[in-house]
Amino acid sequence: MELGIQVETEHIKGVLERILYMNEENHYTVAELVNDKEKYTVTGLLPGVQCGETLRAWGTWTDHKRFGKQFKIERFESMLPATVNGIRKYLASGLIHGIGKTYADKIVDTFGEDTLRIISEESGRLQEISGIGKQRAKSIKKSWEEQQSIRNIMIFLQAYGVTTSQCLRLVKTYGQEARTILEQNPYQMANDIRGIGFKTADQIALNLGFPNDGEARILAGLRYCLSEFEARGHTGAAREELEHMTAEVLEVDLKTVEGHFPKLLETQEVLTFDNDFIQSFQAAESENEIAHALNRLLSHPSKLPAIQVDKAVDWGERKAGIVFAPEQRDAVFQGLGSKFSVLTGGPGTGKTTLLRVIVAILQAKDVYIQLAAPTGRAAQRMKESTGLEAQTIHRLLKFDPLLGHFVHDEETPLSGDFIIVDEVSMLDIHLASALLKAIPDHAHVLFVGDVDQLPSIGPGTVLKDLIESQKVPVTRLSHIFRQGKRSTIVTVAHNILQGTAALPNCVKGVDEIDPDKDFTFVQCNDPEDCVKKVHKLCGECIPAWYKVGYMDYQVLAPIHKGTGGIENFNTLLQSTLNTSHPDPIVGPQKFRVADKIIQTRNNYEKNVFNGDIGQIGHIDIEKKSLRANFDKAQAEFDLSDITDLSLAYAISIHKSQGSEFPIVVIPLLKQHFILLQRNLLYTAVTRGRHRVFIVGELEAYRIALSKKESFLRKTTLQRRLNTMTHF
């Protein structure tokens, strides 16, 4: 161990002179504290401190082998600086928006030791300073008040691992009442503040003296466990399973949980389906609305102009320059003739060609068509293949941040006579509900997607449930018609679905790769060997072979942690690929200008959504903010929003759904065992448009092929569809 013998517990007091190191995620700090007698090196968790403050700290002295005598802080009190020099240093730290070093000097030169009182109580007097107008004075006052709230909350929560960005969200949500709310009902945080989960709230509650078996804790635990089922893709849980999981998580008696459960039903926060299946109100409402919307659409007549489908299909064949196979003709017939139909199939089966033909036929009849997809990349592919503008579903429905919901719904339906949606396997129950509610009664709908891919990130299996309900016409394309340059990729993808272990172009080293082959399996011996080979591929070979930058190729990994995990690859590839901008922003992932990033949740205000990939264009170190460019959007992110971004040199296979990349690199290891399955491997391989490289262990590939049945999600949509009477 580096730390030596603890001498004694005592306290010290001094002015924070210099911060030598601070971890923004957990607030571990190494700093210099100065008083009249001497200078100390102090270490510990010091959330929200700034140079110039006076700290009174309790802890123990230690001897560090390398850095010598240090004071390890266990708890501390902070006082605002009282001296002119302390105030100057404090304001110059950039803590208060609107005050940098220049204005700090001007303000302190004018008001001296009275500076902080002036800002707090007479902020209008700041306008006496040259260059500070009414708006800047208001901004400084507002920032000052926010910082005081954040400081109080951070010191209160410092023992619980709550991060700076989470504290910012607390203040943004609760304002000056933040601490009062936390002390009265800390479980409210888990509902209101993204990024603060039940476990953190529970730890705070128990330390505040909330009873272990109290109603507030039991109800919060039930909500949390139900949300965990939804996080796994289910739209609810059997009551018995939910109660047992809650009792286990809370470490309380099962009868205690059972006794409080009726209270949750009384509030209608949860609903029951078929007597014992428990759903959140939102999940039950979404699945019910999907069924009702489909029933409504199929109950209303079409307003399309008359189309002689036989002649239209013949015309489409001539326009496409091919002769349709029977299943392709059926797909066009059903797409044009049904109010609602589904087209599913894997790569190379002709979905894109049929989509282009259907759109061309409808355009020839002057039908108003709307094209949409869950992601920007998928929408762009629709536009490229059809020549018609396509949008993400979120942009099609037009979210209004002020209202807090989509503009288009059942009261304000979309315009359009024919709505075509691609990559429907990505639709969870909530987005599918919002979309279907907004489709006008007379419109036709065509859902296109690959049901063999991974299901949506959010809860539900919408495409699968629609197909298996047998309530709407479905065309499944199975024959590979045209492979073109992706011949081996397509063949391997279909081999995966069939469980065939044949692997073309299998090599043992990166130097053996033929860059002209579209699919290559590079064998590795262990995770470390895998990382080395992926690093060489991405850092040297791919840029040299194909003359592309790192925005044009993508590493897709099954898991986040471990040697062969996403986090490790991102750290490694960031340092290798983005070398022209060495200075990171203050933040847990140390973002740099030009970094490849991914948005990890829907942010309607910024018009960027979960899974959108972009690039950092600018970083403001002083404000701890950044600007990023996405496909069709540019967005500013402050400290409270930056945690919604992650590095994207490597992303999860789940996050890649709906996207295609020119080149894909897939690490595949036995350590990924828990997630290895056919549809995961199939989804990864089919993300590559021109080249796919799997770097992995052959045994891991065989394990994935052997697990045919993916984890089954429990939903109610199919049963709800089957009970509808007007289909």
Side-chain angles (χ1 to χ4, degrees), residues 52 90 100 178 193 384 427 449 462 534 543 554 653 662:
Y90 181 72
I193 313 297
E384 291 168 357
L427 286 188
V462 174
V534 169
Q554 186 63 58
I653 296 170

Side-chain angles (χ1 to χ4, degrees), residues 377 486 489 513 515 517-520 534 537-538 540-556 596 613 648-651 656 659-666 684-695:
R377 287 172 179 262
R486 300 176 69 204
I489 295 174
I513 295 174
K517 302 287 188 184
D518 67 331
F519 176 90
T520 306
V534 169
L537 258 178
C538 295
E540 301 175 25
C541 301
I542 290 174
W545 291 339
Y546 309 115
K547 310 301 179 188
V548 294
Y550 53 79
M551 296 299 293
D552 295 315
Y553 54 95
Q554 186 63 58
V555 176
L556 303 178
K596 186 177 184 179
I613 292 176
Y649 301 97
I651 64 174
S656 74
S659 297
E660 275 192 350
F661 307 93
I663 302 164
V664 163
V665 179
I666 307 164
V685 168
T686 54
R687 298 310 88 204
R689 188 181 305 136
H690 302 303
R691 298 288 187 277
V692 172
F693 300 94
I694 298 181
V695 183

Side-chain angles (χ1 to χ4, degrees), residues 472-487:
V472 295
V474 176
T475 302
R476 179 185 278 271
L477 303 175
S478 56
H479 182 72
I480 302 174
F481 293 100
R482 297 181 67 179
Q483 299 175 11
K485 295 180 179 179
R486 300 176 69 204
S487 58

Side-chain angles (χ1 to χ4, degrees), residues 334 340-344 446-447 463 466-467 472-476:
Q334 288 192 349
F340 194 112
S341 62
V342 172
L343 174 62
T344 186
L446 174 61
F447 272 9
L463 181 59
L466 283 173
I467 291 171
V472 295
V474 176
T475 302
R476 179 185 278 271

Side-chain angles (χ1 to χ4, degrees), residues 135-350:
Q135 288 304 115
R136 183 182 284 269
K138 282 185 176 180
S139 175
I140 290 171
K141 170 70 170 176
K142 181 182 177 183
S143 181
W144 170 263
E145 290 177 345
E146 287 178 350
Q147 289 303 325
Q148 298 316 297
S149 296
I150 292 167
R151 166 186 299 280
N152 292 336
I153 293 169
M154 290 182 74
I155 292 173
F156 172 59
L157 297 178
Q158 63 181 308
Y160 308 109
V162 178
T163 67
T164 305
S165 60
Q166 289 168 341
C167 284
L168 286 170
R169 290 174 189 161
L170 281 167
V171 173
K172 189 178 287 187
T173 303
Y174 300 139
Q176 301 299 314
E177 299 298 313
R179 179 165 178 172
T180 302
I181 291 172
L182 297 186
E183 290 178 322
Q184 290 177 349
N185 183 12
Y187 294 109
Q188 189 173 334
M189 281 193 305
N191 295 330
D192 297 344
I193 313 297
R194 71 181 189 275
I196 296 182
F198 167 79
K199 291 182 179 178
T200 299
D202 192 44
Q203 184 184 5
I204 295 169
L206 292 175
N207 278 278
L208 288 173
F210 279 69
N212 188 60
D213 58 354
E215 183 176 271
R217 184 169 189 256
I218 302 301
L219 295 181
L222 283 163
R223 293 186 198 101
Y224 165 70
C225 291
L226 186 56
S227 72
E228 284 293 289
F229 278 100
E230 289 189 12
R232 298 171 189 173
H234 306 295
T235 64
R239 176 169 175 170
E240 186 177 348
E241 284 185 284
L242 178 60
E243 289 174 335
H244 274 86
M245 180 179 177
T246 304
E248 185 177 332
V249 167
L250 299 183
E251 297 181 338
V252 297
D253 186 81
L254 178 60
K255 289 184 178 179
T256 302
V257 176
E258 292 172 342
H260 287 293
F261 188 85
K263 182 69 174 179
L264 207 59
L265 292 174
E266 286 175 21
T267 64
Q268 293 196 324
E269 290 179 72
V270 302
L271 302 173
T272 58
F273 183 83
D274 280 359
N275 297 320
D276 72 337
F277 193 72
I278 307 302
Q279 294 185 283
S280 68
F281 176 83
Q282 293 82 0
E285 185 178 42
S286 290
E287 289 196 301
N288 201 42
E289 286 174 341
I290 292 170
H292 278 284
L294 189 58
N295 192 46
R296 170 180 58 82
L297 289 169
L298 294 177
S299 301
H300 283 78
S302 166
K303 291 186 180 179
L304 287 186
I307 298 175
Q308 292 182 302
V309 180
D310 280 328
K311 290 184 178 180
V313 172
D314 292 340
W315 178 83
E317 282 184 324
R318 292 194 299 273
K319 190 171 182 63
I322 61 173
V323 176
F324 290 147
E327 65 182 36
Q328 291 178 307
R329 291 185 71 89
D330 289 344
V332 179
F333 266 86
Q334 288 192 349
L336 295 175
S338 305
K339 276 297 296 299
F340 194 112
S341 62
V342 172
L343 174 62
T344 186
T349 57

